[in-house]
């Protein structure tokens, strides 16, 4: 199996045996069980990786490949294996080439809805949720304290997504979650960070109702533990970041630890929001293409990749906390390329915890 080469040099892991099992880069499964959360990951065949990211093709050619895959005529009801193979081809295209949105802006919202496997979009149901208004005075104030500063420095976002639209979507989501909780499903209240997680969907989707159902499915299926009242999933995420960094680069890990820099102190916002707060927004969207295709658990390794890109500065600094107060501008292609190589160096048991942490409410990382 060919693998991607890291764009920047990184130290080889010193405490990971060569013959230990290596996890393959595969999409996080969305199988469900009685609690309506994703179930235990199923074993699957390894996904062959392209030899490099970004093949020598033009954006028009790449757009044509995506369009051909999306628009090929098939019967409505297909065998599960056929659907699985089509999704595999779609993920390979995303990893190899990225989505050429400059050629066809409609590709990304269509692909995100496919990857999220949104069951249905019901405009009337969304309007009914909106008609209920804010979810109580305390929650109303909490939401509005966050929405006005969502991606505040991104002019394009502010022009395309009025604050009122973000407020409506979040109010509607909380009402929907209350209804689900009454039916015995896992419920959600509004927590800080939801506003940032909702922002990309409102930015790229053609309509507010599509953004709502994409966001709802994303929260409920991909990262429900991240938005529990205590943010358990995000706290597990920063603990796993420390563990993964210790495996991947003990020298950098020990240097940061010696300065009192645990991942909780410098990486919590990036874990909680899946790097959505690290500009520029177009690079965030490209990173999310990858995360939606292969699993949001990989965001932890994406953050480590960002550390590796400034490793020299971190190692030479007596105050690395000053460098980590604000991550450098995101370069999605570099980060994705490096993340794919990091996956193989994570011990299998640790990788399994990494896969589980965004959705398994029973998981507790020490």
């Amino acid at each position: 199996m060919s693998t991607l080469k890291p764009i920047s040099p990184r130290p080889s892991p010193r405490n990971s045996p060569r013959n230990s099992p290596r996890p393959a880069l595969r999409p996080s499964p969305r199988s469900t069980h009685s609690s309506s959360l994703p179930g235990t990951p199923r074993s699957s065949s390894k996904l062959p990786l392209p030899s490099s990211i970004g093949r020598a093709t033009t954006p028009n050619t790449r757009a044509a490949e995506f369009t051909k895959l999306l628009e090929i005529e098939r019967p409505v009801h297909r065998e599960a294996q056929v659907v699985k193979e089509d999704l595999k081809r779609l993920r390979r295209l995303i990893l190899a080439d990225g989505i050429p949105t400059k050629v066809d802006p409609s590709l990304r919202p269509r692909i995100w809805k496919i990857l999220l496997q949104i069951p249905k979009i019901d405009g009337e149901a969304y309007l009914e949720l909106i008609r209920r208004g804010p979810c109580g005075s305390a929650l109303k104030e909490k939401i509005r304290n966050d929405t006005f500063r969502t991606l505040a420095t991104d002019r394009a976002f502010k022009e395309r997504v009025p604050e009122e639209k973000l407020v409506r979507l979040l109010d509607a989501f909380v009402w929907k979650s209350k209804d689900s909780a009454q039916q015995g499903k896992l419920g959600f209240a509004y927590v800080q960070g939801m506003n940032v997680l909702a922002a990309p969907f409102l930015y790229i989707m053609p309509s507010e109702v599509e953004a709502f159902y994409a966001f709802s499915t994303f929260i409920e299926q991909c990262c429900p533990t991240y938005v529990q009242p205590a943010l358990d999933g995000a706290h597990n995420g920063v603990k796993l970041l420390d563990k993964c960094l210790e495996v991947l680069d003990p020298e950098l890990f020990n240097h940061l630890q010696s300065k009192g820099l645990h991942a909780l102190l410098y990486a919590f916002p990036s874990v909680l929001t899946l790097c959505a707060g690290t500009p520029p927004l177009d690079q965030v969207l490209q990173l999310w293409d990858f995360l939606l295709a292969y699993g949001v658990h990989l965001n932890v390794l994406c953050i480590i990749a960002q550390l590796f890109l400034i490793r020299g500065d971190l190692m030479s600094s007596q105050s690395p906390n000053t460098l980590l107060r604000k991550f450098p501008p995101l370069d999605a292609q570099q980060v994705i390329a490096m993340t794919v190589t990091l996956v193989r160096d994570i011990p299998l048991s640790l990788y399994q915890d990494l896969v589980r942490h965004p959705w398994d409410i029973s998981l507790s990382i020490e």
Side-chain angles (χ1 to χ4, degrees), residues 24-33 36-44 84 87 91 115-117 220-224 291-297 351-352 354-356 358-360:
L25 181 65
R26 61 173 70 93
S28 180
R30 299 180 70 243
S31 58
T32 57
H33 51 64
S36 79
L37 291 179
T40 303
R42 303 170 181 171
S43 60
S44 62
K84 183 178 179 180
L87 285 172
R91 291 178 176 114
L115 293 173
L116 288 167
Q117 301 176 41
E220 294 164 359
Q221 295 293 329
C222 298
C223 55
L291 295 177
L292 290 177
Y294 289 98
V296 298
H297 61 284
Y351 188 74
Q352 289 173 337
L354 197 63
V355 170
R356 291 169 55 201
W359 49 260
D360 189 344

mmCIF file of all heavy atoms in Angstrom, residues 24-33 36-44 84 87 91 115-117 220-224 291-297 351-352 354-356 358-360:
data_model
loop_
_atom_site.group_PDB
_atom_site.id
_atom_site.type_symbol
_atom_site.label_atom_id
_atom_site.label_comp_id
_atom_site.label_asym_id
_atom_site.label_seq_id
_atom_site.Cartn_x
_atom_site.Cartn_y
_atom_site.Cartn_z
ATOM 1 N N ALA A 24 -5.254 1.433 9.571
ATOM 2 C CA ALA A 24 -5.384 1.950 8.210
ATOM 3 C C ALA A 24 -6.233 3.208 8.234
ATOM 4 O O ALA A 24 -7.074 3.382 9.105
ATOM 5 C CB ALA A 24 -6.043 0.902 7.318
ATOM 6 N N LEU A 25 -5.992 4.085 7.271
ATOM 7 C CA LEU A 25 -6.846 5.252 7.132
ATOM 8 C C LEU A 25 -8.144 4.792 6.506
ATOM 9 O O LEU A 25 -8.187 4.401 5.349
ATOM 10 C CB LEU A 25 -6.177 6.301 6.246
ATOM 11 C CG LEU A 25 -6.977 7.586 6.037
ATOM 12 C CD1 LEU A 25 -7.135 8.317 7.357
ATOM 13 C CD2 LEU A 25 -6.316 8.467 5.015
ATOM 14 N N ARG A 26 -9.193 4.792 7.280
ATOM 15 C CA ARG A 26 -10.495 4.354 6.787
ATOM 16 C C ARG A 26 -11.552 5.263 7.384
ATOM 17 O O ARG A 26 -11.364 5.836 8.450
ATOM 18 C CB ARG A 26 -10.769 2.903 7.169
ATOM 19 C CG ARG A 26 -10.791 2.653 8.666
ATOM 20 C CD ARG A 26 -11.230 1.231 8.974
ATOM 21 N NE ARG A 26 -10.248 0.266 8.596
ATOM 22 C CZ ARG A 26 -9.312 -0.192 9.431
ATOM 23 N NH1 ARG A 26 -9.241 0.274 10.669
ATOM 24 N NH2 ARG A 26 -8.458 -1.102 9.036
ATOM 25 N N PRO A 27 -12.686 5.402 6.702
ATOM 26 C CA PRO A 27 -13.739 6.246 7.255
ATOM 27 C C PRO A 27 -14.270 5.678 8.556
ATOM 28 O O PRO A 27 -14.341 4.468 8.749
ATOM 29 C CB PRO A 27 -14.811 6.236 6.159
ATOM 30 C CG PRO A 27 -14.535 5.009 5.366
ATOM 31 C CD PRO A 27 -13.042 4.811 5.424
ATOM 32 N N SER A 28 -14.621 6.569 9.464
ATOM 33 C CA SER A 28 -15.226 6.132 10.714
ATOM 34 C C SER A 28 -16.636 5.634 10.424
ATOM 35 O O SER A 28 -17.425 6.327 9.804
ATOM 36 C CB SER A 28 -15.282 7.311 11.689
ATOM 37 O OG SER A 28 -15.850 6.927 12.901
ATOM 38 N N PRO A 29 -16.966 4.414 10.837
ATOM 39 C CA PRO A 29 -18.270 3.843 10.496
ATOM 40 C C PRO A 29 -19.409 4.568 11.182
ATOM 41 O O PRO A 29 -19.256 5.132 12.245
ATOM 42 C CB PRO A 29 -18.148 2.397 10.982
ATOM 43 C CG PRO A 29 -17.118 2.446 12.044
ATOM 44 C CD PRO A 29 -16.151 3.525 11.634
ATOM 45 N N ARG A 30 -20.578 4.506 10.570
ATOM 46 C CA ARG A 30 -21.747 5.164 11.134
ATOM 47 C C ARG A 30 -22.817 4.140 11.484
ATOM 48 O O ARG A 30 -24.008 4.431 11.442
ATOM 49 C CB ARG A 30 -22.301 6.180 10.138
ATOM 50 C CG ARG A 30 -21.320 7.256 9.794
ATOM 51 C CD ARG A 30 -21.896 8.251 8.800
ATOM 52 N NE ARG A 30 -22.921 9.061 9.415
ATOM 53 C CZ ARG A 30 -24.194 9.063 9.048
ATOM 54 N NH1 ARG A 30 -24.584 8.270 8.081
ATOM 55 N NH2 ARG A 30 -25.070 9.842 9.632
ATOM 56 N N SER A 31 -22.391 2.922 11.812
ATOM 57 C CA SER A 31 -23.361 1.931 12.252
ATOM 58 C C SER A 31 -23.973 2.387 13.566
ATOM 59 O O SER A 31 -23.335 3.075 14.353
ATOM 60 C CB SER A 31 -22.686 0.574 12.453
ATOM 61 O OG SER A 31 -21.639 0.674 13.380
ATOM 62 N N THR A 32 -25.220 2.030 13.817
ATOM 63 C CA THR A 32 -25.897 2.497 15.022
ATOM 64 C C THR A 32 -26.395 1.322 15.840
ATOM 65 O O THR A 32 -26.591 0.219 15.364
ATOM 66 C CB THR A 32 -27.096 3.394 14.661
ATOM 67 O OG1 THR A 32 -27.980 2.659 13.820
ATOM 68 C CG2 THR A 32 -26.641 4.644 13.948
ATOM 69 N N HIS A 33 -26.604 1.603 17.119
ATOM 70 C CA HIS A 33 -27.193 0.598 17.994
ATOM 71 C C HIS A 33 -28.359 1.236 18.737
ATOM 72 O O HIS A 33 -28.843 2.298 18.358
ATOM 73 C CB HIS A 33 -26.145 0.013 18.953
ATOM 74 C CG HIS A 33 -25.359 1.039 19.702
ATOM 75 N ND1 HIS A 33 -25.923 1.900 20.606
ATOM 76 C CD2 HIS A 33 -24.036 1.355 19.653
ATOM 77 C CE1 HIS A 33 -24.989 2.672 21.128
ATOM 78 N NE2 HIS A 33 -23.850 2.390 20.566
ATOM 79 N N SER A 36 -28.816 4.979 19.516
ATOM 80 C CA SER A 36 -28.814 5.855 18.337
ATOM 81 C C SER A 36 -27.476 6.527 18.093
ATOM 82 O O SER A 36 -27.366 7.398 17.248
ATOM 83 C CB SER A 36 -29.912 6.926 18.426
ATOM 84 O OG SER A 36 -29.521 7.995 19.266
ATOM 85 N N LEU A 37 -26.450 6.137 18.829
ATOM 86 C CA LEU A 37 -25.110 6.647 18.571
ATOM 87 C C LEU A 37 -24.349 5.658 17.707
ATOM 88 O O LEU A 37 -24.677 4.472 17.680
ATOM 89 C CB LEU A 37 -24.359 6.860 19.891
ATOM 90 C CG LEU A 37 -24.869 7.995 20.765
ATOM 91 C CD1 LEU A 37 -24.026 8.060 22.034
ATOM 92 C CD2 LEU A 37 -24.817 9.317 20.039
ATOM 93 N N PRO A 38 -23.313 6.131 16.988
ATOM 94 C CA PRO A 38 -22.525 5.197 16.190
ATOM 95 C C PRO A 38 -21.994 4.059 17.045
ATOM 96 O O PRO A 38 -21.599 4.265 18.193
ATOM 97 C CB PRO A 38 -21.387 6.074 15.655
ATOM 98 C CG PRO A 38 -21.947 7.455 15.682
ATOM 99 C CD PRO A 38 -22.861 7.498 16.871
ATOM 100 N N GLY A 39 -21.979 2.874 16.493
ATOM 101 C CA GLY A 39 -21.565 1.697 17.247
ATOM 102 C C GLY A 39 -20.085 1.440 17.179
ATOM 103 O O GLY A 39 -19.306 2.237 16.681
ATOM 104 N N THR A 40 -19.667 0.324 17.703
ATOM 105 C CA THR A 40 -18.256 -0.046 17.697
ATOM 106 C C THR A 40 -17.745 -0.170 16.272
ATOM 107 O O THR A 40 -18.400 -0.765 15.425
ATOM 108 C CB THR A 40 -18.080 -1.389 18.418
ATOM 109 O OG1 THR A 40 -18.614 -1.258 19.736
ATOM 110 C CG2 THR A 40 -16.621 -1.775 18.498
ATOM 111 N N PRO A 41 -16.593 0.402 15.975
ATOM 112 C CA PRO A 41 -16.082 0.349 14.604
ATOM 113 C C PRO A 41 -15.961 -1.084 14.101
ATOM 114 O O PRO A 41 -15.523 -1.972 14.812
ATOM 115 C CB PRO A 41 -14.705 1.003 14.722
ATOM 116 C CG PRO A 41 -14.816 1.887 15.916
ATOM 117 C CD PRO A 41 -15.740 1.179 16.863
ATOM 118 N N ARG A 42 -16.386 -1.286 12.866
ATOM 119 C CA ARG A 42 -16.254 -2.594 12.244
ATOM 120 C C ARG A 42 -14.921 -2.690 11.532
ATOM 121 O O ARG A 42 -14.401 -1.707 11.030
ATOM 122 C CB ARG A 42 -17.368 -2.792 11.224
ATOM 123 C CG ARG A 42 -18.764 -2.657 11.795
ATOM 124 C CD ARG A 42 -19.763 -2.615 10.657
ATOM 125 N NE ARG A 42 -21.124 -2.463 11.160
ATOM 126 C CZ ARG A 42 -22.163 -2.224 10.380
ATOM 127 N NH1 ARG A 42 -21.984 -2.088 9.089
ATOM 128 N NH2 ARG A 42 -23.358 -2.092 10.883
ATOM 129 N N SER A 43 -14.374 -3.867 11.476
ATOM 130 C CA SER A 43 -13.142 -4.038 10.717
ATOM 131 C C SER A 43 -13.454 -3.902 9.242
ATOM 132 O O SER A 43 -14.521 -4.272 8.784
ATOM 133 C CB SER A 43 -12.544 -5.426 10.983
ATOM 134 O OG SER A 43 -13.457 -6.422 10.600
ATOM 135 N N SER A 44 -12.527 -3.334 8.483
ATOM 136 C CA SER A 44 -12.721 -3.171 7.050
ATOM 137 C C SER A 44 -11.391 -3.267 6.351
ATOM 138 O O SER A 44 -10.335 -3.152 6.967
ATOM 139 C CB SER A 44 -13.389 -1.825 6.741
ATOM 140 O OG SER A 44 -12.570 -0.767 7.172
ATOM 141 N N LYS A 84 -21.286 1.204 -0.879
ATOM 142 C CA LYS A 84 -19.991 1.246 -0.207
ATOM 143 C C LYS A 84 -18.860 1.539 -1.186
ATOM 144 O O LYS A 84 -17.961 2.340 -0.907
ATOM 145 C CB LYS A 84 -19.740 -0.081 0.508
ATOM 146 C CG LYS A 84 -18.446 -0.140 1.309
ATOM 147 C CD LYS A 84 -18.312 -1.483 2.022
ATOM 148 C CE LYS A 84 -17.008 -1.552 2.810
ATOM 149 N NZ LYS A 84 -16.870 -2.858 3.499
ATOM 150 N N LEU A 87 -19.006 5.216 -2.306
ATOM 151 C CA LEU A 87 -18.484 6.102 -1.266
ATOM 152 C C LEU A 87 -16.963 6.021 -1.184
ATOM 153 O O LEU A 87 -16.282 7.031 -0.958
ATOM 154 C CB LEU A 87 -19.107 5.748 0.088
ATOM 155 C CG LEU A 87 -20.564 6.179 0.295
ATOM 156 C CD1 LEU A 87 -21.109 5.600 1.588
ATOM 157 C CD2 LEU A 87 -20.691 7.700 0.302
ATOM 158 N N ARG A 91 -14.435 9.156 -1.576
ATOM 159 C CA ARG A 91 -13.422 9.511 -0.578
ATOM 160 C C ARG A 91 -12.023 9.555 -1.195
ATOM 161 O O ARG A 91 -11.209 10.410 -0.846
ATOM 162 C CB ARG A 91 -13.467 8.509 0.578
ATOM 163 C CG ARG A 91 -14.726 8.616 1.430
ATOM 164 C CD ARG A 91 -14.755 7.575 2.538
ATOM 165 N NE ARG A 91 -15.908 7.762 3.396
ATOM 166 C CZ ARG A 91 -16.915 6.906 3.517
ATOM 167 N NH1 ARG A 91 -16.896 5.772 2.805
ATOM 168 N NH2 ARG A 91 -17.925 7.148 4.315
ATOM 169 N N LEU A 115 -21.823 12.410 2.230
ATOM 170 C CA LEU A 115 -20.949 11.852 3.265
ATOM 171 C C LEU A 115 -21.657 11.765 4.612
ATOM 172 O O LEU A 115 -21.431 10.828 5.384
ATOM 173 C CB LEU A 115 -19.681 12.703 3.392
ATOM 174 C CG LEU A 115 -18.733 12.685 2.191
ATOM 175 C CD1 LEU A 115 -17.609 13.699 2.378
ATOM 176 C CD2 LEU A 115 -18.144 11.293 1.973
ATOM 177 N N LEU A 116 -22.513 12.740 4.898
ATOM 178 C CA LEU A 116 -23.256 12.732 6.157
ATOM 179 C C LEU A 116 -24.451 11.782 6.118
ATOM 180 O O LEU A 116 -25.027 11.470 7.158
ATOM 181 C CB LEU A 116 -23.736 14.150 6.484
ATOM 182 C CG LEU A 116 -22.657 15.133 6.933
ATOM 183 C CD1 LEU A 116 -23.193 16.558 6.920
ATOM 184 C CD2 LEU A 116 -22.137 14.776 8.316
ATOM 185 N N GLN A 117 -24.803 11.340 4.900
ATOM 186 C CA GLN A 117 -25.933 10.425 4.734
ATOM 187 C C GLN A 117 -27.192 10.982 5.403
ATOM 188 O O GLN A 117 -27.848 10.318 6.209
ATOM 189 C CB GLN A 117 -25.586 9.039 5.283
ATOM 190 C CG GLN A 117 -24.377 8.415 4.600
ATOM 191 C CD GLN A 117 -23.962 7.090 5.204
ATOM 192 O OE1 GLN A 117 -24.817 6.278 5.531
ATOM 193 N NE2 GLN A 117 -22.671 6.868 5.352
ATOM 194 N N GLU A 220 -25.299 14.905 15.731
ATOM 195 C CA GLU A 220 -25.902 13.695 16.284
ATOM 196 C C GLU A 220 -25.115 12.441 15.949
ATOM 197 O O GLU A 220 -25.058 11.510 16.766
ATOM 198 C CB GLU A 220 -27.333 13.560 15.767
ATOM 199 C CG GLU A 220 -28.266 14.643 16.271
ATOM 200 C CD GLU A 220 -29.561 14.745 15.475
ATOM 201 O OE1 GLU A 220 -29.719 13.963 14.505
ATOM 202 O OE2 GLU A 220 -30.394 15.609 15.809
ATOM 203 N N GLN A 221 -24.487 12.393 14.777
ATOM 204 C CA GLN A 221 -23.823 11.174 14.333
ATOM 205 C C GLN A 221 -22.299 11.233 14.416
ATOM 206 O O GLN A 221 -21.659 10.215 14.664
ATOM 207 C CB GLN A 221 -24.220 10.874 12.878
ATOM 208 C CG GLN A 221 -25.690 10.543 12.687
ATOM 209 C CD GLN A 221 -26.087 9.224 13.342
ATOM 210 O OE1 GLN A 221 -25.285 8.295 13.435
ATOM 211 N NE2 GLN A 221 -27.312 9.146 13.817
ATOM 212 N N CYS A 222 -21.715 12.383 14.184
ATOM 213 C CA CYS A 222 -20.243 12.466 14.091
ATOM 214 C C CYS A 222 -19.561 12.838 15.398
ATOM 215 O O CYS A 222 -18.494 12.301 15.704
ATOM 216 C CB CYS A 222 -19.837 13.474 13.009
ATOM 217 S SG CYS A 222 -20.377 13.032 11.350
ATOM 218 N N CYS A 223 -20.132 13.766 16.164
ATOM 219 C CA CYS A 223 -19.423 14.226 17.364
ATOM 220 C C CYS A 223 -20.373 14.587 18.500
ATOM 221 O O CYS A 223 -20.273 15.685 19.078
ATOM 222 C CB CYS A 223 -18.516 15.416 17.030
ATOM 223 S SG CYS A 223 -19.373 16.808 16.250
ATOM 224 N N PRO A 224 -21.295 13.686 18.858
ATOM 225 C CA PRO A 224 -22.236 14.022 19.940
ATOM 226 C C PRO A 224 -21.575 14.271 21.286
ATOM 227 O O PRO A 224 -22.075 15.062 22.079
ATOM 228 C CB PRO A 224 -23.157 12.793 19.995
ATOM 229 C CG PRO A 224 -22.365 11.688 19.374
ATOM 230 C CD PRO A 224 -21.528 12.335 18.319
ATOM 231 N N LEU A 291 -12.143 15.514 6.820
ATOM 232 C CA LEU A 291 -12.666 14.993 8.083
ATOM 233 C C LEU A 291 -14.036 14.339 7.898
ATOM 234 O O LEU A 291 -14.321 13.307 8.519
ATOM 235 C CB LEU A 291 -12.756 16.119 9.122
ATOM 236 C CG LEU A 291 -11.426 16.741 9.564
ATOM 237 C CD1 LEU A 291 -11.676 17.882 10.538
ATOM 238 C CD2 LEU A 291 -10.495 15.700 10.188
ATOM 239 N N LEU A 292 -14.876 14.908 7.067
ATOM 240 C CA LEU A 292 -16.181 14.296 6.823
ATOM 241 C C LEU A 292 -16.042 13.007 6.031
ATOM 242 O O LEU A 292 -16.863 12.088 6.168
ATOM 243 C CB LEU A 292 -17.093 15.278 6.091
ATOM 244 C CG LEU A 292 -17.566 16.480 6.905
ATOM 245 C CD1 LEU A 292 -18.406 17.415 6.051
ATOM 246 C CD2 LEU A 292 -18.338 16.054 8.141
ATOM 247 N N ALA A 293 -15.018 12.922 5.211
ATOM 248 C CA ALA A 293 -14.804 11.710 4.410
ATOM 249 C C ALA A 293 -14.230 10.574 5.242
ATOM 250 O O ALA A 293 -14.615 9.414 5.062
ATOM 251 C CB ALA A 293 -13.878 12.016 3.238
ATOM 252 N N TYR A 294 -13.329 10.885 6.177
ATOM 253 C CA TYR A 294 -12.606 9.824 6.887
ATOM 254 C C TYR A 294 -12.826 9.806 8.396
ATOM 255 O O TYR A 294 -12.388 8.880 9.060
ATOM 256 C CB TYR A 294 -11.105 9.936 6.580
ATOM 257 C CG TYR A 294 -10.794 9.542 5.166
ATOM 258 C CD1 TYR A 294 -10.643 10.503 4.175
ATOM 259 C CD2 TYR A 294 -10.703 8.204 4.799
ATOM 260 C CE1 TYR A 294 -10.391 10.144 2.866
ATOM 261 C CE2 TYR A 294 -10.455 7.834 3.489
ATOM 262 C CZ TYR A 294 -10.300 8.810 2.529
ATOM 263 O OH TYR A 294 -10.062 8.449 1.217
ATOM 264 N N GLY A 295 -13.500 10.795 8.933
ATOM 265 C CA GLY A 295 -13.813 10.772 10.358
ATOM 266 C C GLY A 295 -13.259 11.964 11.105
ATOM 267 O O GLY A 295 -12.085 12.316 10.951
ATOM 268 N N VAL A 296 -14.097 12.570 11.944
ATOM 269 C CA VAL A 296 -13.668 13.770 12.672
ATOM 270 C C VAL A 296 -12.618 13.453 13.733
ATOM 271 O O VAL A 296 -11.930 14.352 14.215
ATOM 272 C CB VAL A 296 -14.870 14.484 13.312
ATOM 273 C CG1 VAL A 296 -15.861 14.949 12.255
ATOM 274 C CG2 VAL A 296 -15.566 13.598 14.336
ATOM 275 N N HIS A 297 -12.458 12.178 14.081
ATOM 276 C CA HIS A 297 -11.422 11.801 15.045
ATOM 277 C C HIS A 297 -10.039 12.189 14.557
ATOM 278 O O HIS A 297 -9.130 12.433 15.355
ATOM 279 C CB HIS A 297 -11.466 10.301 15.319
ATOM 280 C CG HIS A 297 -11.218 9.453 14.122
ATOM 281 N ND1 HIS A 297 -12.171 9.234 13.135
ATOM 282 C CD2 HIS A 297 -10.116 8.764 13.722
ATOM 283 C CE1 HIS A 297 -11.668 8.458 12.202
ATOM 284 N NE2 HIS A 297 -10.420 8.159 12.522
ATOM 285 N N TYR A 351 -5.347 4.212 18.661
ATOM 286 C CA TYR A 351 -6.133 4.671 17.509
ATOM 287 C C TYR A 351 -7.613 4.329 17.689
ATOM 288 O O TYR A 351 -8.488 5.105 17.303
ATOM 289 C CB TYR A 351 -5.609 4.047 16.220
ATOM 290 C CG TYR A 351 -6.245 4.631 14.980
ATOM 291 C CD1 TYR A 351 -5.903 5.897 14.529
ATOM 292 C CD2 TYR A 351 -7.208 3.914 14.272
ATOM 293 C CE1 TYR A 351 -6.502 6.442 13.402
ATOM 294 C CE2 TYR A 351 -7.810 4.449 13.142
ATOM 295 C CZ TYR A 351 -7.449 5.710 12.711
ATOM 296 O OH TYR A 351 -8.047 6.252 11.607
ATOM 297 N N GLN A 352 -7.893 3.190 18.276
ATOM 298 C CA GLN A 352 -9.286 2.825 18.520
ATOM 299 C C GLN A 352 -9.949 3.818 19.471
ATOM 300 O O GLN A 352 -11.119 4.186 19.280
ATOM 301 C CB GLN A 352 -9.364 1.400 19.068
ATOM 302 C CG GLN A 352 -9.032 0.340 18.025
ATOM 303 C CD GLN A 352 -8.934 -1.055 18.606
ATOM 304 O OE1 GLN A 352 -8.689 -1.233 19.807
ATOM 305 N NE2 GLN A 352 -9.114 -2.062 17.763
ATOM 306 N N LEU A 354 -9.056 6.888 19.733
ATOM 307 C CA LEU A 354 -9.162 8.104 18.928
ATOM 308 C C LEU A 354 -10.436 8.061 18.084
ATOM 309 O O LEU A 354 -11.182 9.053 18.001
ATOM 310 C CB LEU A 354 -7.935 8.220 18.028
ATOM 311 C CG LEU A 354 -7.624 9.588 17.403
ATOM 312 C CD1 LEU A 354 -7.325 10.619 18.472
ATOM 313 C CD2 LEU A 354 -6.444 9.460 16.443
ATOM 314 N N VAL A 355 -10.709 6.916 17.470
ATOM 315 C CA VAL A 355 -11.908 6.766 16.642
ATOM 316 C C VAL A 355 -13.171 6.912 17.480
ATOM 317 O O VAL A 355 -14.150 7.548 17.067
ATOM 318 C CB VAL A 355 -11.900 5.395 15.929
ATOM 319 C CG1 VAL A 355 -13.247 5.115 15.268
ATOM 320 C CG2 VAL A 355 -10.791 5.337 14.893
ATOM 321 N N ARG A 356 -13.162 6.363 18.674
ATOM 322 C CA ARG A 356 -14.366 6.326 19.500
ATOM 323 C C ARG A 356 -14.689 7.650 20.181
ATOM 324 O O ARG A 356 -15.854 7.939 20.459
ATOM 325 C CB ARG A 356 -14.228 5.244 20.576
ATOM 326 C CG ARG A 356 -14.231 3.824 20.066
ATOM 327 C CD ARG A 356 -13.828 2.855 21.172
ATOM 328 N NE ARG A 356 -14.661 2.993 22.368
ATOM 329 C CZ ARG A 356 -14.307 2.588 23.575
ATOM 330 N NH1 ARG A 356 -13.109 2.042 23.768
ATOM 331 N NH2 ARG A 356 -15.118 2.736 24.610
ATOM 332 N N PRO A 358 -15.170 10.851 19.639
ATOM 333 C CA PRO A 358 -16.185 11.863 19.312
ATOM 334 C C PRO A 358 -17.632 11.406 19.520
ATOM 335 O O PRO A 358 -18.526 12.247 19.591
ATOM 336 C CB PRO A 358 -15.929 12.155 17.819
ATOM 337 C CG PRO A 358 -14.619 11.542 17.486
ATOM 338 C CD PRO A 358 -14.479 10.383 18.423
ATOM 339 N N TRP A 359 -17.872 10.088 19.613
ATOM 340 C CA TRP A 359 -19.247 9.625 19.678
ATOM 341 C C TRP A 359 -19.556 8.653 20.808
ATOM 342 O O TRP A 359 -20.723 8.425 21.128
ATOM 343 C CB TRP A 359 -19.674 8.984 18.363
ATOM 344 C CG TRP A 359 -18.737 7.954 17.786
ATOM 345 C CD1 TRP A 359 -17.834 8.144 16.789
ATOM 346 C CD2 TRP A 359 -18.600 6.575 18.160
ATOM 347 N NE1 TRP A 359 -17.145 6.977 16.515
ATOM 348 C CE2 TRP A 359 -17.610 5.987 17.339
ATOM 349 C CE3 TRP A 359 -19.230 5.768 19.109
ATOM 350 C CZ2 TRP A 359 -17.216 4.664 17.447
ATOM 351 C CZ3 TRP A 359 -18.857 4.430 19.206
ATOM 352 C CH2 TRP A 359 -17.859 3.893 18.389
ATOM 353 N N ASP A 360 -18.554 8.093 21.456
ATOM 354 C CA ASP A 360 -18.794 7.087 22.492
ATOM 355 C C ASP A 360 -18.902 7.766 23.854
ATOM 356 O O ASP A 360 -17.891 8.168 24.452
ATOM 357 C CB ASP A 360 -17.668 6.049 22.490
ATOM 358 C CG ASP A 360 -17.976 4.865 23.391
ATOM 359 O OD1 ASP A 360 -18.875 4.967 24.236
ATOM 360 O OD2 ASP A 360 -17.279 3.834 23.268
#
